[in-house]
Amino acid sequence: MERKGQCLCGAVRFAVGALGNFGVCHCRQCQRWAGSALFGVNVPEAAMRVEGAEHIGSFRSSDWATRSFCTRCGSGLWYRYDKGVDGTGDYEVPVGLLDDANGLELQSEIFADAKPDCWALEGAHERLTSAETLAKFGPQVEGT
């Protein structure tokens, strides 16, 4: 099922043909970038179609990842684990950008011990501490 989404002003629009894991990242960088945790759904690189690319700015937030935003309205668009190669890698798209995020089921939380105590997510899903996240995905994702 194709899902569509856009930034706040609509200058950047996208359509995704396949969705992967829906998860939440509580790392400090995601907290600063998203203003809370990043509630993101994984989109394989080949499944993403983007319109309005001229309005996309990117910030290399680490040696292995970039975060993109709309240059008109400032909306955060996606995080890409690109392993240091600009413009590559799967997308982590904030679910709030999807026109319809209904039906997604939360599958995991990472860096769960970095979550502030002012919120908690319910449900039976994987919750990885920072150490468990690094052990599973490698030390290069520290503070993603």
Side-chain angles (χ1 to χ4, degrees), residues 1 13-14 17 41 44-45 55 72 85 89 100 117 123 127-128:
M1 173 177 130
R13 298 175 186 271
F14 59 89
V41 63
E45 184 174 18
H55 300 292
R72 288 188 58 196
V85 181
D100 180 9
D117 65 3
R127 289 176 176 85
L128 300 177

Side-chain angles (χ1 to χ4, degrees), residues 25 27-29 62 64 79 81 109-114 126-144:
C25 181
C27 81
R28 252 345 248 153
Q29 281 195 21
S62 67
W64 54 86
Y79 167 95
Y81 176 53
E109 291 180 66
I110 60 174
F111 294 97
D113 55 332
E126 180 178 53
R127 289 176 176 85
L128 300 177
T129 65
S130 297
E132 291 167 334
T133 301
L134 295 174
K136 183 173 182 175
F137 297 107
Q140 59 203 22
V141 299
E142 184 171 2
T144 62

Side-chain angles (χ1 to χ4, degrees), residues 12-97:
V12 179
R13 298 175 186 271
F14 59 89
V16 297
L19 296 176
N21 181 61
F22 165 40
V24 176
C25 181
H26 298 287
C27 81
R28 252 345 248 153
Q29 281 195 21
C30 282
Q31 288 180 37
R32 295 225 186 260
W33 185 58
S36 63
L38 174 61
F39 287 71
V41 63
N42 182 269
V43 176
E45 184 174 18
M48 176 70 93
R49 289 191 336 268
V50 177
E51 295 175 19
E54 67 273 19
H55 300 292
I56 298 173
S58 293
F59 169 70
R60 177 151 296 285
S61 56
S62 67
D63 290 341
W64 54 86
T66 55
R67 295 171 191 269
S68 295
F69 56 93
C70 173
T71 59
R72 288 188 58 196
C73 68
S75 293
L77 295 171
W78 46 72
Y79 167 95
R80 291 186 83 177
Y81 176 53
D82 62 16
K83 301 178 185 171
V85 181
D86 290 340
T88 65
D90 290 348
Y91 298 78
E92 285 295 325
V93 177
V95 297
L97 297 183

